[in-house]
Coordinates of all heavy atoms in Angstrom, one line a residue:
M43 N 9.7 -2.2 -0.4 CA 10.2 -3.5 -0.2 C 11.7 -3.3 0.0 O 12.4 -2.7 -0.8 CB 10.0 -4.3 -1.5 CG 10.6 -5.7 -1.4 SD 10.1 -6.8 -2.8 CE 9.8 -5.7 -4.1
E44 N 12.2 -3.7 1.2 CA 13.6 -3.5 1.5 C 14.4 -4.8 1.3 O 15.6 -4.7 1.2 CB 13.6 -3.1 3.0 CG 13.0 -1.8 3.3 CD 13.1 -1.4 4.7 OE1 13.8 -2.0 5.5 OE2 12.4 -0.4 5.1
R45 N 13.7 -5.9 1.4 CA 14.4 -7.2 1.2 C 13.8 -8.1 0.2 O 12.6 -8.0 0.0 CB 14.5 -7.9 2.6 CG 15.3 -7.2 3.6 CD 15.5 -8.1 4.8 NE 16.4 -7.5 5.8 CZ 17.7 -7.6 5.8 NH1 18.3 -8.4 4.9 NH2 18.4 -7.0 6.7
C46 N 14.6 -8.9 -0.4 CA 14.1 -9.9 -1.4 C 13.1 -10.9 -0.7 O 13.5 -11.4 0.3 CB 15.2 -10.6 -2.1 SG 14.7 -11.9 -3.2
P47 N 12.0 -11.1 -1.2 CA 11.1 -12.0 -0.6 C 11.5 -13.5 -0.8 O 11.1 -14.4 -0.1 CB 9.7 -11.8 -1.3 CG 10.1 -11.2 -2.6 CD 11.3 -10.4 -2.4
N48 N 12.5 -13.7 -1.7 CA 13.0 -15.1 -1.9 C 14.2 -15.4 -1.0 O 14.1 -16.4 -0.3 CB 13.4 -15.2 -3.3 CG 13.8 -16.6 -3.7 OD1 13.1 -17.6 -3.4 ND2 14.9 -16.8 -4.3
C49 N 15.2 -14.5 -0.9 CA 16.4 -14.9 -0.2 C 16.7 -13.9 1.0 O 17.6 -14.1 1.7 CB 17.6 -14.9 -1.1 SG 18.1 -13.3 -1.7
R50 N 15.8 -12.8 1.1 CA 16.0 -11.9 2.2 C 17.2 -10.9 2.1 O 17.5 -10.2 3.0 CB 15.9 -12.5 3.6 CG 14.7 -13.4 3.8 CD 13.4 -12.7 3.8 NE 13.3 -11.6 4.8 CZ 12.5 -10.6 4.7 NH1 11.7 -10.5 3.7 NH2 12.5 -9.7 5.7
A51 N 17.8 -10.9 0.9 CA 18.9 -10.0 0.7 C 18.4 -8.5 0.7 O 17.3 -8.3 0.2 CB 19.7 -10.3 -0.6
R52 N 19.2 -7.6 1.2 CA 18.9 -6.2 1.0 C 18.8 -5.8 -0.4 O 19.7 -6.2 -1.2 CB 19.9 -5.3 1.8 CG 19.8 -5.4 3.3 CD 20.5 -4.3 3.9 NE 20.5 -4.4 5.3 CZ 19.5 -4.0 6.1 NH1 18.5 -3.5 5.6 NH2 19.6 -4.2 7.4
L53 N 17.8 -5.0 -0.8 CA 17.7 -4.7 -2.2 C 18.3 -3.3 -2.5 O 18.4 -2.4 -1.7 CB 16.2 -4.6 -2.5 CG 15.4 -6.0 -2.4 CD1 14.0 -5.8 -2.7 CD2 16.1 -7.0 -3.3
S54 N 18.7 -3.2 -3.7 CA 19.2 -1.9 -4.3 C 18.1 -1.4 -5.1 O 16.9 -1.7 -5.0 CB 20.5 -2.2 -5.0 OG 20.2 -3.0 -6.1
E55 N 18.4 -0.5 -6.0 CA 17.5 0.1 -6.9 C 17.2 -0.8 -8.2 O 16.3 -0.4 -9.0 CB 18.0 1.5 -7.4 CG 18.2 2.5 -6.3 CD 16.9 2.8 -5.6 OE1 15.9 3.1 -6.3 OE2 16.9 2.9 -4.4
E56 N 17.8 -1.9 -8.3 CA 17.6 -2.8 -9.4 C 16.3 -3.5 -9.4 O 15.7 -3.7 -8.3 CB 18.8 -3.8 -9.5 CG 20.1 -3.2 -9.6 CD 20.4 -2.4 -10.8 OE1 19.9 -2.8 -11.9 OE2 20.9 -1.3 -10.7
A57 N 15.8 -3.9 -10.5 CA 14.6 -4.7 -10.6 C 14.8 -6.2 -10.4 O 13.8 -6.9 -10.6 CB 13.9 -4.4 -11.9
S58 N 16.0 -6.6 -10.0 CA 16.2 -8.0 -9.7 C 17.1 -8.0 -8.5 O 17.9 -7.1 -8.3 CB 16.9 -8.7 -10.9 OG 18.1 -8.1 -11.3
C59 N 17.0 -9.1 -7.8 CA 17.8 -9.3 -6.6 C 19.3 -9.6 -7.0 O 19.6 -10.4 -7.8 CB 17.3 -10.5 -5.8 SG 18.2 -10.9 -4.3
R60 N 20.2 -8.9 -6.3 CA 21.6 -9.0 -6.6 C 22.1 -10.4 -6.1 O 23.1 -10.9 -6.7 CB 22.4 -7.9 -5.9 CG 22.3 -7.9 -4.4 CD 23.1 -6.9 -3.7 NE 22.9 -6.7 -2.3 CZ 23.2 -7.6 -1.4 NH1 23.9 -8.7 -1.7 NH2 22.9 -7.4 -0.1
R61 N 21.5 -11.0 -5.1 CA 21.9 -12.3 -4.6 C 21.4 -13.5 -5.4 O 22.1 -14.3 -5.9 CB 21.6 -12.4 -3.2 CG 22.2 -13.8 -2.6 CD 21.7 -14.0 -1.2 NE 22.2 -13.0 -0.2 CZ 21.7 -12.9 1.0 NH1 20.7 -13.6 1.4 NH2 22.2 -11.9 1.8
C62 N 20.0 -13.6 -5.5 CA 19.4 -14.8 -6.1 C 18.9 -14.5 -7.5 O 18.6 -15.5 -8.2 CB 18.3 -15.3 -5.2 SG 16.8 -14.2 -5.2
G63 N 18.9 -13.3 -8.0 CA 18.5 -13.0 -9.3 C 17.0 -12.9 -9.6 O 16.6 -12.7 -10.7
M64 N 16.2 -13.0 -8.5 CA 14.8 -13.0 -8.7 C 14.3 -11.7 -9.4 O 14.7 -10.6 -9.0 CB 14.1 -13.2 -7.4 CG 12.6 -13.2 -7.4 SD 11.9 -13.5 -5.8 CE 10.2 -13.4 -6.2
D65 N 13.4 -11.8 -10.3 CA 12.8 -10.6 -11.0 C 11.8 -10.0 -10.1 O 10.8 -10.6 -9.7 CB 12.2 -11.0 -12.3 CG 11.5 -9.9 -13.0 OD1 11.8 -8.7 -12.7 OD2 10.8 -10.1 -14.0
L66 N 12.0 -8.8 -9.7 CA 11.2 -8.1 -8.7 C 10.3 -7.0 -9.4 O 9.6 -6.3 -8.7 CB 12.0 -7.4 -7.6 CG 13.0 -8.4 -6.9 CD1 14.0 -7.6 -6.1 CD2 12.2 -9.3 -6.0
S67 N 10.3 -6.9 -10.7 CA 9.6 -5.9 -11.4 C 8.1 -5.8 -11.1 O 7.5 -4.8 -10.8 CB 9.9 -5.9 -12.9 OG 9.5 -7.1 -13.4
R68 N 7.5 -7.0 -11.1 CA 6.0 -7.0 -10.8 C 5.7 -6.7 -9.4 O 4.7 -6.0 -9.1 CB 5.5 -8.4 -11.1 CG 5.5 -8.8 -12.6 CD 4.5 -8.0 -13.3 NE 4.4 -8.5 -14.7 CZ 3.9 -7.9 -15.7 NH1 3.3 -6.8 -15.5 NH2 3.9 -8.4 -16.9
L69 N 6.6 -7.1 -8.5 CA 6.4 -6.7 -7.1 C 6.5 -5.2 -6.9 O 5.8 -4.6 -6.1 CB 7.3 -7.5 -6.2 CG 7.1 -9.0 -6.1 CD1 8.2 -9.6 -5.3 CD2 5.8 -9.3 -5.4
I70 N 7.5 -4.6 -7.5 CA 7.7 -3.2 -7.4 C 6.6 -2.4 -8.0 O 6.1 -1.5 -7.4 CB 9.1 -2.8 -8.1 CG1 10.2 -3.4 -7.3 CG2 9.2 -1.3 -8.3 CD1 11.6 -3.4 -8.1
E71 N 6.1 -2.9 -9.2 CA 4.9 -2.3 -9.8 C 3.7 -2.4 -8.9 O 2.9 -1.4 -8.8 CB 4.6 -3.0 -11.1 CG 5.6 -2.7 -12.2 CD 5.3 -3.5 -13.4 OE1 4.3 -4.2 -13.6 OE2 6.2 -3.6 -14.3
T72 N 3.5 -3.5 -8.2 CA 2.4 -3.6 -7.3 C 2.5 -2.7 -6.1 O 1.5 -2.0 -5.7 CB 2.3 -5.1 -6.8 OG1 2.1 -6.0 -7.9 CG2 1.1 -5.3 -5.8
E73 N 3.7 -2.5 -5.5 CA 3.9 -1.6 -4.5 C 3.6 -0.2 -4.9 O 3.0 0.6 -4.2 CB 5.3 -1.7 -3.9 CG 5.5 -2.8 -3.0 CD 6.8 -2.7 -2.2 OE1 7.7 -2.0 -2.7 OE2 7.0 -3.4 -1.2
Q74 N 4.0 0.2 -6.1 CA 3.8 1.5 -6.6 C 2.3 1.8 -6.8 O 1.8 2.9 -6.6 CB 4.6 1.7 -7.9 CG 6.1 1.8 -7.7 CD 6.9 1.8 -9.0 OE1 6.4 1.4 -10.1 NE2 8.1 2.1 -8.9
A75 N 1.6 0.8 -7.3 CA 0.1 0.9 -7.5 C -0.6 1.1 -6.2 O -1.5 1.9 -6.0 CB -0.4 -0.3 -8.2
A76 N -0.1 0.3 -5.2 CA -0.7 0.5 -3.8 C -0.5 1.9 -3.3 O -1.4 2.5 -2.7 CB -0.1 -0.6 -2.9
E77 N 0.7 2.4 -3.5 CA 1.0 3.8 -3.1 C 0.2 4.8 -3.8 O -0.3 5.7 -3.1 CB 2.5 4.1 -3.3 CG 3.0 5.4 -2.8 CD 3.1 5.5 -1.3 OE1 3.2 4.4 -0.6 OE2 3.0 6.6 -0.7
R78 N 0.0 4.7 -5.1 CA -0.9 5.6 -5.8 C -2.3 5.5 -5.3 O -3.0 6.6 -5.1 CB -0.9 5.3 -7.3 CG 0.4 5.7 -8.0 CD 0.3 5.6 -9.5 NE 0.0 4.3 -10.0 CZ 0.9 3.4 -10.3 NH1 2.2 3.6 -10.1 NH2 0.6 2.2 -10.7
L79 N -2.8 4.3 -5.0 CA -4.2 4.2 -4.5 C -4.3 4.8 -3.1 O -5.3 5.4 -2.7 CB -4.6 2.7 -4.5 CG -4.9 2.2 -5.8 CD1 -4.9 0.7 -5.8 CD2 -6.3 2.7 -6.3
L80 N -3.2 4.7 -2.3 CA -3.2 5.3 -0.9 C -3.3 6.8 -1.0 O -4.1 7.4 -0.3 CB -2.0 4.8 -0.2 CG -1.8 5.3 1.2 CD1 -2.9 4.7 2.1 CD2 -0.5 4.9 1.8
V81 N -2.5 7.3 -1.9 CA -2.5 8.8 -2.1 C -3.9 9.2 -2.6 O -4.5 10.3 -2.2 CB -1.4 9.2 -3.1 CG1 -1.6 10.7 -3.6 CG2 -0.1 9.0 -2.5
A82 N -4.5 8.5 -3.5 CA -5.9 8.8 -4.0 C -6.9 8.7 -2.9 O -7.8 9.6 -2.8 CB -6.3 7.8 -5.1
G83 N -6.7 7.8 -2.0 CA -7.6 7.6 -0.8 C -7.5 8.8 0.1 O -8.4 9.4 0.6
L84 N -6.2 9.3 0.3 CA -6.0 10.5 1.1 C -6.6 11.7 0.5 O -7.3 12.5 1.2 CB -4.5 10.7 1.3 CG -3.8 9.8 2.4 CD1 -2.3 10.0 2.3 CD2 -4.3 10.2 3.7
G85 N -6.5 11.8 -0.8 CA -7.1 12.9 -1.5 C -8.6 12.9 -1.4 O -9.2 14.0 -1.2
G86 N -9.2 11.7 -1.6 CA -10.6 11.6 -1.4 C -11.1 12.0 0.0 O -12.1 12.7 0.2
L87 N -10.3 11.6 1.0 CA -10.7 11.9 2.4 C -10.6 13.4 2.6 O -11.5 14.0 3.2 CB -9.7 11.2 3.3 CG -10.0 11.3 4.8 CD1 -11.3 10.7 5.1 CD2 -8.9 10.5 5.5
L88 N -9.5 14.0 2.1 CA -9.4 15.5 2.2 C -10.5 16.3 1.5 O -10.9 17.3 1.9 CB -8.0 15.9 1.7 CG -6.9 15.5 2.6 CD1 -5.5 15.8 1.9 CD2 -6.9 16.2 4.0
A89 N -11.0 15.7 0.4 CA -12.0 16.3 -0.4 C -13.4 16.0 0.1 O -14.4 16.5 -0.4 CB -11.9 15.9 -1.9
G90 N -13.5 15.2 1.1 CA -14.8 14.9 1.7 C -15.5 13.8 0.9 O -16.7 13.6 1.2
E91 N -14.9 13.1 0.1 CA -15.5 12.0 -0.7 C -15.2 10.7 0.0 O -14.3 9.9 -0.5 CB -14.9 12.1 -2.1 CG -15.2 13.4 -2.9 CD -14.5 13.5 -4.2 OE1 -13.7 12.7 -4.5 OE2 -14.7 14.5 -4.8
R92 N -15.9 10.5 1.0 CA -15.6 9.3 1.9 C -15.7 8.0 1.2 O -14.9 7.1 1.4 CB -16.5 9.4 3.1 CG -16.3 10.6 4.0 CD -17.3 10.7 5.1 NE -17.1 9.6 6.1 CZ -16.2 9.7 7.1 NH1 -15.5 10.8 7.3 NH2 -16.2 8.7 8.0
E93 N -16.7 7.8 0.4 CA -16.9 6.5 -0.3 C -15.8 6.2 -1.3 O -15.2 5.1 -1.4 CB -18.2 6.4 -0.9 CG -18.6 5.0 -1.4 CD -18.4 3.9 -0.3 OE1 -18.8 4.2 0.9 OE2 -17.9 2.8 -0.6
A94 N -15.4 7.3 -2.1 CA -14.3 7.1 -3.0 C -13.0 6.9 -2.3 O -12.2 6.0 -2.7 CB -14.2 8.4 -3.9
A95 N -12.8 7.5 -1.1 CA -11.6 7.3 -0.3 C -11.6 5.9 0.2 O -10.5 5.2 0.2 CB -11.6 8.3 0.8
R96 N -12.7 5.4 0.7 CA -12.8 4.1 1.2 C -12.4 3.0 0.1 O -11.7 2.1 0.4 CB -14.2 3.8 1.8 CG -14.3 2.5 2.5 CD -15.8 2.1 2.9 NE -16.6 3.3 3.2 CZ -16.7 3.9 4.4 NH1 -16.0 3.5 5.4 NH2 -17.5 4.9 4.6
R97 N -13.0 3.2 -1.1 CA -12.7 2.3 -2.2 C -11.2 2.3 -2.5 O -10.6 1.2 -2.7 CB -13.5 2.6 -3.4 CG -14.9 2.2 -3.3 CD -15.6 2.3 -4.7 NE -15.5 3.6 -5.3 CZ -16.4 4.6 -5.1 NH1 -17.4 4.4 -4.4 NH2 -16.2 5.8 -5.7
S98 N -10.6 3.5 -2.6 CA -9.2 3.5 -3.0 C -8.3 2.9 -1.9 O -7.4 2.2 -2.2 CB -8.8 5.0 -3.2 OG -9.4 5.5 -4.3
L99 N -8.6 3.2 -0.6 CA -7.9 2.6 0.5 C -8.0 1.1 0.6 O -7.0 0.4 0.8 CB -8.3 3.3 1.8 CG -7.9 4.8 1.9 CD1 -8.6 5.4 3.1 CD2 -6.4 5.0 2.0
A100 N -9.2 0.6 0.3 CA -9.4 -0.8 0.4 C -8.6 -1.5 -0.8 O -8.0 -2.6 -0.6 CB -10.9 -1.2 0.2
R101 N -8.6 -0.9 -2.0 CA -7.8 -1.5 -3.1 C -6.3 -1.4 -2.8 O -5.6 -2.3 -3.1 CB -8.2 -0.7 -4.4 CG -9.6 -1.0 -4.8 CD -10.0 -0.2 -6.1 NE -9.1 -0.5 -7.2 CZ -8.9 0.3 -8.2 NH1 -9.5 1.5 -8.2 NH2 -8.1 0.0 -9.2
S102 N -5.9 -0.3 -2.2 CA -4.5 -0.2 -1.8 C -4.1 -1.3 -0.8 O -3.1 -1.9 -0.9 CB -4.2 1.2 -1.2 OG -2.9 1.3 -0.7
R103 N -5.0 -1.4 0.2 CA -4.7 -2.4 1.2 C -4.7 -3.9 0.7 O -4.0 -4.7 1.1 CB -5.7 -2.3 2.4 CG -5.3 -3.1 3.5 CD -6.2 -2.8 4.7 NE -5.9 -3.8 5.8 CZ -6.8 -4.1 6.7 NH1 -8.0 -3.6 6.7 NH2 -6.4 -5.0 7.6
A104 N -5.5 -4.1 -0.3 CA -5.5 -5.4 -1.0 C -4.2 -5.7 -1.7 O -3.8 -6.9 -1.7 CB -6.7 -5.5 -2.0
L105 N -3.6 -4.7 -2.2 CA -2.3 -4.9 -2.9 C -1.1 -4.9 -1.9 O -0.2 -5.7 -2.1 CB -2.0 -3.7 -3.9 CG -3.0 -3.7 -5.1 CD1 -2.7 -2.5 -5.9 CD2 -2.8 -5.0 -5.9
R106 N -1.2 -4.1 -0.8 CA -0.2 -4.0 0.2 C -0.7 -3.5 1.5 O -1.2 -2.4 1.6 CB 1.0 -3.1 -0.3 CG 2.1 -3.0 0.7 CD 3.3 -2.3 0.1 NE 4.4 -2.4 1.0 CZ 5.2 -1.4 1.3 NH1 5.0 -0.2 0.8 NH2 6.2 -1.6 2.1
D107 N -0.8 -4.4 2.4 CA -1.4 -4.1 3.7 C -0.5 -3.3 4.6 O 0.5 -3.8 5.1 CB -1.8 -5.4 4.4 CG -2.6 -5.1 5.7 OD1 -3.2 -4.0 5.8 OD2 -2.8 -6.1 6.5
T108 N -0.7 -1.9 4.7 CA 0.1 -1.1 5.4 C -0.6 -0.6 6.7 O -1.9 -0.5 6.7 CB 0.6 0.1 4.6 OG1 -0.5 0.9 4.3 CG2 1.4 -0.3 3.4
D109 N 0.1 -0.1 7.7 CA -0.5 0.4 8.9 C -1.3 1.7 8.5 O -2.4 1.8 9.0 CB 0.6 0.8 9.9 CG 1.3 -0.4 10.5 OD1 0.7 -1.5 10.5 OD2 2.4 -0.3 11.1
L110 N -0.8 2.5 7.6 CA -1.5 3.7 7.3 C -2.8 3.4 6.6 O -3.8 4.0 7.0 CB -0.6 4.6 6.4 CG -1.2 6.0 6.0 CD1 -1.6 6.8 7.2 CD2 -0.3 6.7 5.1
A111 N -2.8 2.5 5.7 CA -4.1 2.2 5.0 C -5.1 1.6 6.0 O -6.3 2.0 6.0 CB -3.9 1.2 3.9
R112 N -4.6 0.8 6.9 CA -5.5 0.2 7.9 C -6.0 1.3 8.8 O -7.2 1.3 9.2 CB -4.7 -0.9 8.7 CG -5.5 -1.9 9.3 CD -4.6 -3.1 9.9 NE -3.6 -3.5 9.1 CZ -2.3 -3.5 9.4 NH1 -1.9 -3.1 10.6 NH2 -1.4 -3.9 8.6
L113 N -5.2 2.2 9.3 CA -5.7 3.3 10.2 C -6.7 4.2 9.5 O -7.7 4.6 10.1 CB -4.5 4.1 10.6 CG -3.5 3.4 11.6 CD1 -2.3 4.3 11.8 CD2 -4.3 3.3 13.0
L114 N -6.4 4.5 8.2 CA -7.4 5.4 7.5 C -8.7 4.7 7.3 O -9.8 5.4 7.4 CB -6.8 5.9 6.2 CG -5.6 6.8 6.4 CD1 -4.9 7.1 5.0 CD2 -6.0 8.1 7.0
I115 N -8.7 3.4 7.0 CA -10.0 2.7 6.8 C -10.7 2.7 8.1 O -11.9 2.9 8.2 CB -9.7 1.3 6.2 CG1 -9.3 1.4 4.8 CG2 -10.9 0.4 6.4 CD1 -8.7 0.1 4.2
G116 N -10.0 2.4 9.2 CA -10.6 2.4 10.5 C -11.2 3.8 10.9 O -12.2 3.9 11.5
F117 N -10.5 4.8 10.5 CA -11.0 6.2 10.7 C -12.3 6.4 10.0 O -13.2 7.0 10.6 CB -9.9 7.2 10.3 CG -10.4 8.6 10.3 CD1 -10.5 9.3 11.5 CD2 -10.8 9.3 9.1 CE1 -10.9 10.6 11.5 CE2 -11.2 10.6 9.1 CZ -11.3 11.3 10.3
L118 N -12.3 6.0 8.7 CA -13.6 6.1 8.0 C -14.7 5.3 8.6 O -15.8 5.8 8.6 CB -13.3 5.7 6.5 CG -12.5 6.7 5.7 CD1 -12.1 6.1 4.4 CD2 -13.3 8.0 5.4
E119 N -14.4 4.1 9.0 CA -15.4 3.3 9.6 C -15.9 3.8 10.9 O -17.1 3.8 11.2 CB -14.9 1.8 9.7 CG -14.8 1.2 8.4 CD -14.1 -0.2 8.5 OE1 -13.6 -0.6 9.6 OE2 -14.0 -0.9 7.5
H120 N -15.0 4.3 11.7 CA -15.4 4.9 13.0 C -16.2 6.1 12.8 O -17.2 6.3 13.5 CB -14.1 5.2 13.8 CG -14.4 5.8 15.2 ND1 -15.0 5.0 16.2 CD2 -14.3 7.0 15.7 CE1 -15.2 5.8 17.2 NE2 -14.7 7.0 17.0
G121 N -15.8 6.9 11.9 CA -16.6 8.1 11.6 C -18.0 7.9 11.1 O -19.0 8.6 11.5
D122 N -18.2 6.8 10.4 CA -19.5 6.4 9.9 C -20.4 5.9 11.1 O -21.6 6.1 11.1 CB -19.5 5.3 8.9 CG -18.9 5.8 7.5 OD1 -18.9 7.0 7.3 OD2 -18.6 5.0 6.7
S123 N -19.8 5.3 12.1 CA -20.6 4.8 13.2 C -21.1 5.9 14.1 O -22.0 5.7 14.9 CB -19.8 3.8 14.0 OG -18.7 4.4 14.7
R124 N -20.5 7.1 14.0 CA -20.9 8.2 14.9 C -22.0 9.0 14.3 O -22.6 9.9 14.9 CB -19.7 9.1 15.1 CG -18.6 8.4 15.8 CD -17.4 9.3 16.0 NE -17.8 10.4 16.9 CZ -17.0 11.5 17.0 NH1 -15.9 11.7 16.3 NH2 -17.4 12.5 17.9
R125 N -22.4 8.7 13.1 CA -23.5 9.4 12.4 C -24.8 9.0 12.8 O -25.2 8.0 13.2 CB -23.4 9.3 10.9 CG -22.1 10.0 10.4 CD -22.1 9.9 8.9 NE -21.0 10.7 8.4 CZ -20.7 10.9 7.2 NH1 -21.4 10.4 6.3 NH2 -19.7 11.6 6.8

């Protein structure tokens, strides 16, 4: 997260917005959880555990919809259609 979702101010390392004071700690925790799930999904994909990878990536995307999560899920789905 680069900007406050409330006032759009650029964010620093603080858990609250310097401009409007909004508490961002839960949003930061959610982004970190999404990142951990994305990494777990990549690990599952590399280990050949496609279903575990798909679950982790879907959970990551539910928390934070990123291009990478979307692409990896698409890769898994496309690979399944070729079987």
Side-chain angles (χ1 to χ4, degrees):
M43 177 172 32
E44 295 178 13
R45 294 189 174 268
C46 174
N48 186 50
C49 71
R50 305 299 299 159
R52 288 196 184 276
L53 296 178
S54 62
E55 299 296 316
E56 302 299 316
S58 61
C59 177
R60 62 178 170 73
R61 183 187 296 164
C62 71
M64 181 177 179
D65 179 13
L66 303 168
S67 58
R68 294 286 187 197
L69 292 172
I70 293 168
E71 289 171 12
T72 301
E73 281 191 342
Q74 290 170 345
E77 184 71 22
R78 285 190 300 273
L79 288 163
L80 183 64
V81 169
L84 282 169
L87 186 60
L88 291 171
E91 299 170 355
R92 296 175 69 84
E93 192 53 41
R96 186 185 332 272
R97 282 192 307 270
S98 292
L99 292 168
R101 290 176 59 204
S102 173
R103 189 171 175 207
L105 294 175
R106 184 170 186 226
D107 189 17
T108 63
D109 291 339
L110 181 56
R112 207 173 313 123
L113 286 169
L114 291 171
I115 290 169
F117 172 79
L118 285 168
E119 291 172 355
H120 181 71
D122 287 346
S123 67
R124 296 178 68 194
R125 290 182 176 185

